[in-house]
Amino acid sequence: MAAPCGRMASRPLFRFLSRFSGICVGHTGIRHFSRASVSRTTAKSETEGERGGSPWTLMAAVCLQRLPVISADYNPMEQRFKDMLHQIELEKSVLSDHELRLLEEAERMSRKQAGDYDSDKEDDVDQEILLAQDMEDTWEQKLKSFQPAPRVRADVDKDLSSPERCLADSLVLLTEQQVGGEKMWLLPQTQWQEGETLRQTAERALASLPAGFKVTFLGNAPCGVYKYKLPKAIRTESCVGTKVFFFKAILTDSPPPKPEKALFLWLKKNELEKYLKPAYMLKVGNFILDL
Amino acid sequence: MNPIYRKFQASVTQQLFALNQALTSCRVAPSIQHPVWCTASVNERHYRSMPTHGIGRWRHLLPRNAPKKKKEKHQMKGIFSATATSYGTLNVKVSGHDMTVVERYSQYIHNLCIRLGINVAEHYALPTKSTEVMLMQEQGTKMYVDAVLKTHERVVQLSTLNATLCPIFMDVLLKNQPEGVELSVKEHTEADFQARFKTRPELEGLISQIYQ
């Protein structure tokens, strides 16, 4: 296998600590991540003589994903099953403290208004000033004044360059890059340089994009590889083709959207086929999870 | 073939016949001597040449166990350290306010690890923490208790995690993370293990007295 993979195996791993949080009320769009700490061991650079001349140019690419922000809607069968389970649970359940209190107080009220009411004969002397029914009313009032954000926004969904579209699905970032005279849509990639790990190359690929994304890499090992042999006319002895190694990363924070022309596309997996070349799509589709 | 077979049969039948006769003679004797034969013959142990010698033995059929040890102190399972191709002992901590969701998610993580062949060292729960949410009253300066939120934590401890498997594993976990649940992946330390135990103040007091 090419030299860099062997190199990665011999280097000690980065300590990897991350903290991911679920959605909180009032957040728009992106799930928040916080990193506890990342301690890196410094990378040793290998001596020149070890790496023999390999005819492949190496590149590293980043599969940057925006994770789903809300859970997907249920399909009809799931909805029916969920209702049935809810019904079963409700029928099997026992009254809670709050409900018992409501019943007691309703009973007490009816006894008070019965006519022959004697407060001295009451067993429980401690009567709450604030009845449970009043508390329930205040809670319902508060709930009415709460406006949840809409789950699906049709106009944002259609804008392919916004990372806030399709909150229930995971999206992958594509950029338009010039490869050998042709402009095509690819996962962001750059060429590997001597003395750096492939992961550092991938980070450099991300940093070279004009938008400043805050990103967490999921691991030091690549998740996929794409081999491209140059057409026979251009092929030389020292350059047979390119090998692209893909790394997975998660978007932690998106920058404020710029009004300029769309340079990026955030696409779901089924939309990727329209923009990627078939051979490339075959390899890339292997590691992109459509969950 | 046939003559041999017939001879064999003949010999077998002869033996059976002999046995039958012996049995009938045996059966007669106990009934005369001991009318109630159940209690007496069970307590009699047959002699070593008797075919039924050792008929009631059963202890040799039980699995060999070491004698029961005294109640042992909770030993910590060894903490693995990171190597070039795999991470060390990791703690995947799931926390949230809804206990059913948190527990189900931690069970999902455990099952996923079994399926992917990742060794799960332990799967335990940390004590629940209650948080009281206090709001200011609209008219007045007193704070009143609005709600009590309980934070539940479940920890799935993985003994090792392959570096190549890590991005796939993390990706699946993150994509299936339910709302309202926090996920955190940290390395396991001895301090984490000791934090699960209750402190014993009297014991510590006595120990400090010894060493003074």
Side-chain angles (χ1 to χ4, degrees):
Chain A
M1 213 23 216
C5 280
R7 191 177 305 189
M8 268 189 357
S10 64
R11 222 168 250 142
L13 275 186
F14 301 162
R15 297 275 142 76
F16 170 61
L17 308 170
S18 295
R19 197 167 144 264
F20 308 100
S21 69
I23 190 143
C24 327
V25 170
H27 272 188
T28 51
I30 309 300
R31 205 182 288 197
H32 268 250
F33 296 94
S34 61
R35 243 192 223 173
S37 75
V38 170
S39 67
R40 274 200 198 175
T41 50
T42 51
K44 259 186 346 198
S45 58
E46 282 202 2
T47 55
E48 284 280 326
E50 274 183 58
R51 180 176 162 263
S54 156
W56 298 90
T57 42
L58 299 169
M59 309 187 81
V62 177
C63 173
L64 180 61
Q65 292 170 314
R66 190 225 63 191
L67 293 173
V69 176
I70 53 178
S71 52
D73 283 332
Y74 293 102
N75 64 27
M77 194 173 90
E78 284 179 351
Q79 184 65 44
R80 279 172 51 199
F81 187 65
K82 184 177 158 219
D83 293 338
M84 187 190 80
L85 282 184
H86 186 73
Q87 179 86 10
I88 291 174
E89 229 184 273
L90 189 68
E91 287 175 11
K92 277 192 176 175
S93 67
V94 178
L95 292 172
S96 70
D97 289 340
H98 177 75
E99 284 170 325
L100 285 173
R101 210 177 127 193
L102 272 177
L103 288 175
E104 274 176 19
E105 285 174 4
E107 214 185 319
R108 201 181 288 149
M109 290 297 281
S110 61
R111 266 186 284 144
K112 257 193 196 169
Q113 284 145 13
D116 53 342
Y117 175 70
D118 192 359
S119 64
D120 296 331
K121 282 191 187 157
E122 280 290 312
D123 290 331
D124 305 326
V125 184
D126 53 326
Q127 293 182 28
E128 297 280 336
I129 306 166
L130 191 63
L131 295 177
Q133 188 62 44
D134 299 339
M135 289 209 294
E136 247 194 58
D137 292 336
T138 44
W139 296 336
E140 272 185 49
Q141 287 287 321
K142 275 193 201 165
L143 184 64
K144 275 187 194 151
S145 62
F146 172 70
Q147 295 295 333
R151 278 171 68 96
V152 175
R153 293 169 294 186
D155 53 340
V156 185
D157 278 358
K158 291 201 187 106
D159 178 20
L160 293 177
S161 64
S162 148
E164 317 243 334
R165 65 182 289 253
C166 296
L167 292 176
D169 300 300
S170 49
L171 306 174
V172 181
L173 178 73
L174 283 191
T175 53
E176 197 159 29
Q177 286 185 332
Q178 192 107 16
V179 173
E182 240 188 80
K183 265 207 146 192
M184 45 177 148
W185 288 101
L186 303 165
L187 301 178
Q189 65 187 36
T190 43
Q191 187 147 356
W192 171 75
Q193 284 162 0
E194 291 276 345
E196 65 172 3
T197 59
L198 277 177
R199 176 168 156 165
Q200 285 170 346
T201 317
E203 285 167 0
R204 206 158 45 86
L206 261 189
S208 68
L209 297 175
F213 293 120
K214 285 233 185 79
V215 148
T216 310
F217 274 83
L218 289 182
N220 297 332
C223 53
V225 93
Y226 173 65
K227 224 163 60 171
Y228 174 67
K229 271 191 169 166
L230 295 173
K232 283 217 168 104
I234 320 178
R235 227 183 272 181
T236 60
E237 274 196 22
S238 65
C239 185
V240 172
T242 50
K243 283 185 183 169
V244 189
F245 292 91
F246 298 98
F247 285 83
K248 272 198 179 163
I250 300 281
L251 185 72
T252 46
D253 215 354
S254 84
K258 293 181 198 161
E260 59 189 44
K261 193 170 166 268
L263 298 163
F264 313 117
L265 287 185
W266 289 97
L267 298 176
K268 297 191 268 198
K269 189 171 177 187
N270 44 16
E271 294 166 356
L272 277 180
E273 288 163 348
K274 285 186 260 178
Y275 289 85
L276 294 179
K277 297 267 155 97
Y280 192 73
M281 176 69 204
L282 205 68
K283 293 287 177 176
V284 166
N286 277 342
F287 60 80
I288 294 184
L289 299 170
D290 194 20
L291 289 175
Chain B
M1 264 305 271
N2 284 335
I4 302 169
Y5 178 65
R6 244 181 258 132
K7 266 191 209 163
F8 174 67
Q9 264 214 322
S11 60
V12 164
T13 45
Q14 274 174 11
Q15 279 179 9
L16 277 177
F17 189 56
L19 254 180
N20 266 332
Q21 285 198 331
L23 271 175
T24 45
S25 58
C26 282
R27 238 180 261 142
V28 166
S31 62
I32 289 174
Q33 289 165 15
H34 310 278
V36 182
W37 68 280
C38 299
T39 49
S41 60
V42 158
N43 287 336
E44 280 167 7
R45 286 155 67 211
H46 304 142
Y47 191 65
R48 271 179 271 176
S49 60
M50 190 76 169
T52 50
H53 175 68
I55 192 169
R57 262 184 18 158
W58 56 270
R59 254 181 230 274
H60 65 288
L61 297 169
L62 291 181
R64 281 279 167 93
N65 283 335
K68 192 178 168 190
K69 284 184 269 191
K70 287 183 290 190
K71 185 175 165 191
E72 49 192 73
K73 262 179 75 170
H74 282 273
Q75 294 296 335
M76 189 175 65
K77 285 191 188 164
I79 299 183
F80 294 87
S81 58
T83 68
T85 47
S86 67
Y87 294 98
T89 312
L90 292 177
N91 274 354
V92 179
K93 196 194 287 196
V94 182
S95 56
H97 294 299
D98 191 356
M99 187 174 77
T100 45
V101 179
V102 166
E103 280 194 340
R104 282 291 194 185
Y105 188 50
S106 68
Q107 283 169 11
Y108 168 76
I109 296 176
H110 196 155
N111 286 331
L112 185 71
C113 291
I114 293 171
R115 200 178 241 238
L116 293 177
I118 304 174
N119 277 340
V120 174
E122 278 180 54
H123 182 178
Y124 55 85
L126 294 176
T128 350
K129 296 180 187 145
S130 302
T131 326
E132 279 194 347
V133 174
M134 312 198 81
L135 285 181
M136 287 281 277
Q137 268 183 350
E138 277 128 36
Q139 300 103 20
T141 50
K142 210 175 89 164
M143 304 261 272
Y144 71 95
V145 177
D146 188 38
V148 175
L149 291 176
K150 292 194 187 158
T151 313
H152 307 268
E153 283 183 3
R154 300 282 180 273
V155 175
V156 182
Q157 194 175 87
L158 316 172
S159 46
T160 48
L161 182 60
N162 227 355
T164 44
L165 193 53
C166 176
I168 305 166
F169 179 63
M170 288 309 303
D171 201 24
V172 173
L173 284 194
L174 287 168
K175 285 193 172 153
N176 283 309
Q177 189 179 352
E179 296 132 321
V181 158
E182 276 185 17
L183 179 69
S184 130
V185 180
K186 284 196 191 139
E187 285 182 350
H188 182 64
T189 57
E190 178 126 11
D192 286 338
F193 178 72
Q194 297 295 342
R196 288 174 70 193
F197 294 109
K198 281 193 202 171
T199 55
R200 283 152 84 174
E202 335 82 24
L203 186 68
E204 284 167 14
L206 288 173
I207 291 177
S208 58
Q209 273 184 15
I210 293 171
Y211 284 115
Q212 258 173 11

